[in-house]
Amino acid sequence: MSARAVSDPLEPFHPAVRAWFTAAFPEPTPPQASGWPPISRGESTLILAPTGSGKTLAAFLWCLDKLMFTPVPEKARRCRVLYISPLKALAADVERNLRSPLAGIARMADARGEPYLRPAIAMRTGDTPANERARFQREPADLLITTPESLYLLLTSNARDALRSIDTIIIDEIHALVPTKRGAHLALSLERLLARSAQSPQRIGLSATQRPLDEVAHFLGGVEPVVTASPRRADRSLLEPSRGLEHEFAAHRSHMRYRPVTIVDTGARKALRLTIEVPDQGSQGSQGSQGSQGSQGSQGSQGSQGSQGSQGSQGSQGSQGSQ
């Protein structure tokens, strides 16, 4: 990352996008300033940032820049950005939150007299009506918002051809998917999508609580086979069918590698203040000795009572002798 990119993270963006951002916000937040350089270079990126720090805009702004100011592809290849959320409610919130930057950038472009495309946004969840699903198949939107389960259904339907042109995948709240069966299912869907795509999509992961970052990055990027050159030799599986069946689905670890992912760690670490308080030992010892004296005084009074009782009994004996 060059020093110029760090000092001006908005430099790669279109002038209309820069004008809207500087008018709407005082400056980029840490996840935006650190995340935009690798994202603009096309690198898969994992962003760790606190809630409310602008990490969602860090992922989407570069996508909106491409969708609005790059040549419009043919109708069948319009869908280029895929946003995946584990929560349907979060997916709906993102769709609403994108309206403001889209409208603001459009106003800036109109003021500058520059042409642009207003991206079409589609949502596919379990609540999506049948007519909207059919419309996406006929007229793919530029940006698709969905869930892991709906992505699986898309890949098994006739609408899967509309996903061939995906070049960016955004996975929000990725920490909720990594250790679960839903995450394993999503990893399989992403590889199925990659197999059908014209290019390897850029992957962007977002979360506020993801740990450890290396393992989450491995999940985000996935694995790819390593092609190694080896001398030609006879395939023993052809001579021994049982041996071929035994190793049909086996893959040695040395033949696979994780795809590269750039990690942007802007998580806020809580400042801990440790205070050790030791009671005053001198005051404790003084109180203890006073308590001990008090108990001795109590015993002394008991002894005095005992002696009085003894004297009383002696007086009683004396009266008996007198009788």
Side-chain angles (χ1 to χ4, degrees), residues 77-316:
R77 301 179 62 84
R78 285 286 298 270
C79 189
R80 288 174 285 172
V81 179
L82 176 65
Y83 171 83
I84 303 173
S85 169
L87 303 174
K88 290 191 295 184
L90 182 60
D93 291 342
V94 167
E95 192 274 335
R96 288 192 297 267
N97 293 337
L98 287 177
R99 297 173 187 173
S100 177
L102 285 174
I105 295 172
R107 287 195 300 268
M108 291 296 178
D110 289 333
R112 300 172 60 90
E114 298 179 353
Y116 65 91
L117 169 70
R118 185 65 179 262
I121 301 176
M123 183 178 298
R124 175 66 184 269
T125 65
D127 300 329
T128 304
N131 59 340
E132 294 186 11
R133 300 181 186 183
R135 181 172 60 184
F136 177 79
Q137 183 176 347
R138 297 190 309 268
E139 300 176 359
D142 299 284
L143 192 156
L144 176 62
I145 299 174
T146 188
T147 61
E149 291 76 16
S150 295
L151 175 61
Y152 169 79
L153 296 176
L154 278 169
L155 291 170
T156 57
S157 67
N158 293 329
R160 61 181 178 270
D161 291 335
L163 305 179
R164 290 181 178 273
S165 54
I166 294 290
D167 59 24
T168 305
I169 301 173
I170 301 174
I171 305 177
D172 206 350
E173 301 296 335
I174 192 173
H175 70 276
L177 296 169
V178 174
T180 65
K181 293 181 180 179
R182 294 182 70 196
H185 200 263
L186 175 61
L188 178 60
S189 296
L190 293 178
E191 295 303 319
R192 292 178 60 196
L193 177 62
L194 174 61
R196 301 187 62 86
S197 299
Q199 57 184 332
S200 179
Q202 178 186 21
R203 306 185 188 192
I204 303 174
L206 308 173
S207 179
T209 58
Q210 50 192 338
R211 297 289 183 185
L213 288 177
D214 290 340
E215 292 300 325
V216 180
H218 291 164
F219 172 84
L220 176 63
V223 297
E224 61 184 358
V226 178
V227 180
T228 57
S230 58
R232 295 178 60 87
R233 59 182 179 182
D235 190 351
R236 294 180 58 86
S237 63
L238 299 177
L239 302 178
E240 303 177 14
S242 60
R243 181 182 179 88
L245 292 175
E246 178 184 355
H247 299 281
E248 180 180 3
F249 301 104
H252 197 274
R253 283 186 174 271
S254 62
H255 297 162
M256 307 295 291
R257 66 181 177 189
Y258 292 106
R259 298 186 182 96
V261 174
T262 301
I263 298 176
V264 176
D265 185 359
T266 58
R269 295 175 175 83
K270 294 183 179 180
L272 300 179
R273 181 179 180 182
L274 180 61
T275 303
I276 301 177
E277 297 183 359
V278 180
D280 187 356
Q281 297 180 356
S283 61
Q284 282 187 351
S286 174
Q287 294 175 1
S289 60
Q290 291 178 1
S292 175
Q293 292 175 2
S295 61
Q296 290 178 1
S298 174
Q299 294 176 1
S301 63
Q302 291 176 1
S304 174
Q305 294 174 0
S307 62
Q308 290 177 0
S310 175
Q311 292 175 1
S313 62
Q314 290 175 2
S316 173

